[in-house]
Amino acid sequence: MKNPFLLNLIFSLIIFFFLINPQNVDAIWIKNSNNPIIPVGPSTSWDQKLVGSASIIYDGAIFKMWYEGNDGSQWRIGYATSSSGLNWVKNPSFVVD
């Protein structure tokens, strides 16, 4: 895999799966129909070209994700939340420039 950011996102999601379902180490993996769960933004957004390197925490009520995004010239950090861990709502602007 040539994209280290995508690879990091995949590993983060694998770790996320086992943290949510530690008893399911031998679980059957089923591709989520919403893949990717955090897509690139629209053509004028700060994350229009690439997203990746997600870090996810669960605070007991909501999942919180910080991720890298790129508009073709600059990397920034974005933020998204989810009640299920599958359907994410992205903050419309980046949180770290």
Side-chain angles (χ1 to χ4, degrees):
M1 182 162 301
K2 294 183 179 186
N3 186 336
F5 301 106
L6 182 58
L7 186 60
N8 191 342
L9 176 61
I10 291 168
F11 286 136
S12 296
L13 292 175
I14 290 170
I15 291 168
F16 170 73
F17 175 82
F18 287 118
L19 290 176
I20 300 307
N21 299 298
Q23 70 279 8
N24 292 335
V25 173
D26 294 325
I28 297 172
W29 290 69
I30 299 171
K31 182 177 179 178
N32 185 312
S33 61
N34 293 332
N35 267 344
I37 62 169
I38 193 85
V40 296
S43 63
T44 58
S45 68
W46 65 272
D47 62 350
Q48 65 178 308
K49 295 289 183 188
L50 296 166
V51 295
S53 296
S55 294
I56 302 167
I57 64 166
Y58 181 70
D59 71 1
I62 194 163
F63 295 94
K64 299 176 180 183
M65 177 193 297
W66 290 264
Y67 65 95
E68 291 182 338
N70 186 286
D71 63 1
S73 63
Q74 186 172 1
W75 287 98
R76 296 181 174 108
I77 304 296
Y79 177 71
T81 58
S82 172
S83 59
S84 67
L86 296 174
N87 301 309
W88 292 87
V89 176
K90 290 166 52 173
N91 190 35
S93 63
F94 54 88
V95 295
V96 177
D97 192 7

